[in-house]
Amino acid sequence: MSDYRAPVKDMRFVMDELAGFKELSAIPGYEEATPDLADAVLDEAAKFAGEVLAPLNRIGDKEGCKLTANGVTTPTGWKEAYKQFCDAGWNGISSPADFGGQGLPDTLGIAVKEMVCSANLSFSLGPLLTTGAVEALITCASDELKAIYLEKMVTGEWTGTMNLTEPQAGSDLALIRSRAEPQADGTYRVFGQKIFITYGDHDMTDNVVHLVLARLPDAPAGVKGISMFLVPKFLVNADGSLGARNDAYCVSIEHKLGIHASPTCVMAYGDNGGAVGYLLGEANRGLEYMFIMMNEARLGVGLQGIALGERAYQQALAFARERKQGRDALTGEALVTIDHHPDIRRMLMLMKCRVEANRAMTYYTSGLLDRAHAATDADEKKRQLYLAEFMIPIVKGGGTEMGIEVTSLGIQIHGGMGFIEETGAAQHWRDSRITTIYEGTTGIQANDLLFRKLMRDQGATAKVVFGEIHATTKALGASGKPELQAIGLRLGAALKAWTDATEWLAANAKTGLSGVLTAAVPYLHLAVTVTGGWFMAKAALAAAGYLEKGEGDQAFYRAKIATARFYADQLLPQAYSYAETVKAGDAALAGMGEEIF
């Protein structure tokens, strides 16, 4: 397996030119987020990711986790690496300073998180879930619970989980059966079983804080009757020390296709009298609170697809530059490295441009969240938040689907050696395959985009995005540069395809629901394709500006424009076919029953 080197130059470019990091230091609360600080943070994070976490990736894949009489054990080196991770402050990089975090903007923190995911995805999942749990506690926990748990979770001394899924209740949370019985002392006794709980148990910390969805005895049926409870592995004494072992145990761990070093646990609550839990927020609002974690997690999982794509691209490029095979079709030279072959170059460029496009979308969304958090004007806060929420299913669905396709291309470039485990190319694909499933499948992301984000304001937020893309096409056309104008023509046509498909969905949402639901995933792919082209176009405009001024790394900027042109030529035309697929709806199934299958 090749080494991992964080693409710091591209990260900084995207942060500054597309996510607006350069302007953040002028916003109250982010004064310390200067370019010099960002450079220092990213340089140190790159060293940690490359030197500490990346070498453990293969070890973790081979060893996996084990369930013993004393709980789950992680692979060799995991505990030591996690301690270094926390001691360096990486766990709380974007968490509030009031609770032990560094308080830095997400626009910087997300680049660090990408490095950690690229270097070692299985390792990264523990901190990812903890960060989401922290956000939920900040929002809905009592001051007493915050005082006990938050700082230890922000610093990473304790980790956090989210417990939704049950054997009979996958994505349909209305079917949850776990229950919580109130006690005289104000606590609750929680009973039930949860499955697929990432880092539900491990040996890296001495406590795990579970956020568990369960029903109260008098709860209404369905999702309106779900509450959220904090259930620690160990109870906490009044002085902050750990007390008795709680009745919350991992009873098995799953044997998975990938992410072998991330313990995916079946958790049993209450087998020995009931697990002590504490109600978070108000009763019957648990699903609302859990979605605070879910949004954080969905953005993070989209990032995982990008991170794995980057890692696979780096490995495929290194292999292509070393592997000699065949004759150069243009020069006739015999036994050349395979990066000379046009089809290999095509695949490498597909990997590169798709990773860069999705990275830009994700960092941009983090910038929106930073601005929403910092905004003092209510209308501006709502505008930034609505844009971010519109983007999250695009980031999650797009990043994860891209990750699977790009890691698969990495195997293809390796040829037969890509199918051999010892090269490590297959691990990236195996690890990526879960990302389109957990924290909401691609279909769930598509329905979220369509019904919760597109239609909640009658398409007003979408029109803002469409308007900004149109402005980019105009800037490209007015540039006077043929390569930028070519990108602009492609982007303009793709935008029209997206707007046409959106109008079709709006017109059929009430009278043709089955067709609209059938079109949801193709519509998501359409949105991802056009949005990615938009950000690649913005990147090309920024790069052209630096070339014109003769500033910075000229080769990097030329490559950025060429990569954007490649995306426009090879990927944006797919927008037309996605739009046609959307508008076809489920016409082919009209009048057909089960016999079609």
Side-chain angles (χ1 to χ4, degrees):
M1 182 177 288
S2 66
D3 295 336
Y4 167 67
R5 291 182 173 83
V8 175
K9 185 174 292 185
D10 194 62
M11 289 173 166
R12 288 293 283 123
F13 176 84
V14 173
M15 287 166 58
D16 288 343
E17 304 301 330
L18 305 178
F21 178 79
K22 288 190 293 188
E23 293 79 37
L24 281 179
S25 60
I27 298 176
Y30 294 137
E31 294 90 348
E32 295 183 8
T34 63
D36 287 345
L37 176 69
D39 289 339
V41 167
L42 295 184
D43 285 347
E44 286 303 311
K47 289 178 186 176
F48 181 80
E51 297 173 7
V52 178
L53 296 182
L56 296 176
N57 193 42
R58 182 67 172 156
I59 293 170
D61 185 59
K62 293 175 69 175
E63 291 187 13
C65 296
K66 296 178 177 64
L67 179 60
T68 71
N70 295 318
V72 175
T73 60
T74 51
T76 302
W78 238 244
K79 287 188 289 187
E80 295 79 7
Y82 184 75
K83 185 177 187 304
Q84 288 180 258
F85 178 81
C86 295
D87 288 348
W90 299 123
N91 196 71
I93 186 169
S94 300
S95 297
D98 292 347
F99 299 110
Q102 298 188 46
L104 294 173
D106 284 328
T107 314
L108 173 56
I110 201 160
V112 174
K113 292 173 185 176
E114 183 191 332
M115 295 180 193
V116 175
C117 291
S118 280
N120 194 325
L121 182 67
S122 288
F123 179 92
S124 74
L125 293 173
L128 169 72
L129 270 297
T130 302
T131 301
V134 164
E135 290 299 317
L137 292 187
I138 289 172
T139 301
C140 64
S142 66
D143 289 342
E144 180 183 4
L145 289 175
K146 288 178 181 178
I148 296 170
Y149 291 96
L150 263 180
E151 185 168 343
K152 291 184 182 296
M153 293 173 69
V154 166
T155 60
E157 185 176 344
W158 297 345
T159 58
T161 72
M162 54 195 299
N163 286 237
L164 294 83
T165 308
E166 298 179 5
Q168 80 294 338
S171 300
D172 188 355
L173 298 178
L175 301 177
I176 282 176
R177 295 175 187 162
S178 294
R179 70 186 197 277
E181 299 178 357
Q183 305 297 302
D185 62 358
T187 65
Y188 295 79
R189 294 282 174 169
V190 178
F191 301 86
Q193 188 180 91
K194 299 288 185 177
I195 62 172
F196 303 154
I197 308 307
T198 301
Y199 277 86
D201 192 41
H202 57 84
D203 57 0
M204 301 190 305
T205 63
D206 55 11
N207 206 7
V208 181
V209 182
H210 304 289
L211 301 194
V212 182
L213 294 186
R215 297 184 183 280
L216 292 167
D218 59 350
V223 295
K224 294 181 179 179
I226 298 174
S227 299
M228 185 161 71
F229 299 86
L230 186 155
V231 184
K233 178 178 178 179
F234 284 92
L235 301 178
V236 182
N237 297 321
D239 63 357
S241 62
L242 293 183
R245 181 70 162 84
N246 205 359
D247 189 9
Y249 291 91
C250 170
V251 294
S252 68
I253 55 176
E254 305 293 353
H255 299 279
K256 310 183 295 292
L257 175 69
I259 55 170
H260 293 156
S262 169
T264 303
C265 301
V266 176
M267 298 295 301
Y269 295 94
D271 283 356
N272 301 293
V276 177
Y278 307 90
L279 179 66
L280 290 171
E282 298 178 18
N284 303 323
R285 295 181 64 187
L287 194 58
E288 174 188 337
Y289 300 141
M290 189 63 81
F291 264 95
I292 297 167
M293 289 185 71
M294 190 69 77
N295 270 333
E296 176 82 26
R298 285 176 173 175
L299 190 65
V301 174
L303 184 71
Q304 290 171 15
I306 296 156
L308 288 169
E310 173 66 38
R311 186 78 188 269
Y313 168 66
Q314 290 189 18
Q315 182 163 340
L317 179 61
F319 180 84
R321 285 173 169 171
E322 295 174 356
R323 172 70 167 166
K324 290 186 175 182
Q325 186 168 306
R327 184 181 297 274
D328 190 313
L330 301 180
T331 67
E333 182 183 352
L335 202 59
V336 295
T337 53
I338 63 173
D339 62 326
H340 285 75
H341 302 319
D343 189 54
I344 297 292
R345 295 170 70 82
R346 177 189 66 85
M347 288 190 284
L348 286 169
M349 283 302 297
L350 280 174
M351 296 175 80
K352 182 176 189 284
C353 74
R354 294 193 68 184
V355 168
E356 290 185 7
N358 281 271
R359 175 181 293 128
M361 285 191 277
T362 306
Y363 287 24
Y364 166 79
T365 305
S366 284
L368 294 172
L369 289 170
D370 281 332
R371 284 164 178 76
H373 176 75
T376 55
D377 177 76
D379 288 340
E380 179 61 14
K381 181 182 287 288
K382 180 180 177 181
R383 177 180 179 277
Q384 298 288 345
L385 188 60
Y386 268 41
L387 283 169
E389 290 175 347
F390 182 84
M391 288 295 301
I392 282 174
I394 296 175
V395 167
K396 200 282 184 183
T400 56
E401 292 284 351
M402 178 277 296
I404 292 172
E405 293 176 20
V406 165
T407 54
S408 180
L409 281 172
I411 294 173
Q412 187 72 15
I413 289 171
H414 280 74
M417 294 306 297
F419 205 64
I420 305 300
E421 286 288 354
E422 65 191 58
T423 65
Q427 183 189 342
H428 305 316
W429 181 86
R430 288 189 290 101
D431 285 351
S432 73
R433 193 58 192 86
I434 185 59
T435 60
T436 58
I437 299 171
Y438 59 19
E439 314 309 344
T441 63
T442 302
I444 289 173
Q445 304 309 311
N447 288 341
D448 181 52
L449 174 63
L450 205 54
F451 295 103
R452 291 194 182 95
K453 308 301 168 57
L454 178 64
M455 297 183 182
R456 72 174 173 184
D457 58 3
Q458 291 73 53
T461 301
K463 289 176 183 176
V464 171
V465 175
F466 296 162
E468 292 190 10
I469 297 174
H470 179 66
T472 301
T473 65
K474 289 183 67 177
L476 292 162
S479 67
K481 297 178 172 59
E483 66 272 25
L484 298 184
Q485 291 171 333
I487 295 170
L489 288 173
R490 296 282 197 194
L491 182 59
L495 174 61
K496 185 178 186 306
W498 190 8
T499 55
D500 288 349
T502 304
E503 290 171 2
W504 184 91
L505 289 170
N508 288 274
K510 293 182 179 179
T511 59
L513 182 58
S514 176
V516 168
L517 288 168
T518 302
V521 168
Y523 183 79
L524 175 63
H525 288 316
L526 170 59
V528 170
T529 301
V530 183
T531 307
W534 173 36
F535 283 106
M536 293 302 286
K538 286 168 68 70
L541 281 167
Y546 285 109
L547 287 174
E548 195 168 308
K549 291 182 285 188
E551 297 177 357
D553 186 338
Q554 299 286 285
F556 173 81
Y557 296 130
R558 286 193 296 270
K560 183 63 72 174
I561 293 172
T563 304
R565 174 69 184 272
F566 187 89
Y567 187 104
D569 288 347
Q570 298 290 320
L571 293 171
L572 278 180
Q574 295 177 10
Y576 325 143
S577 58
Y578 281 132
E580 290 303 307
T581 304
V582 168
K583 290 183 283 187
D586 65 345
L589 306 180
M592 297 297 297
E594 291 299 314
E595 68 272 15
I596 194 172
F597 301 110

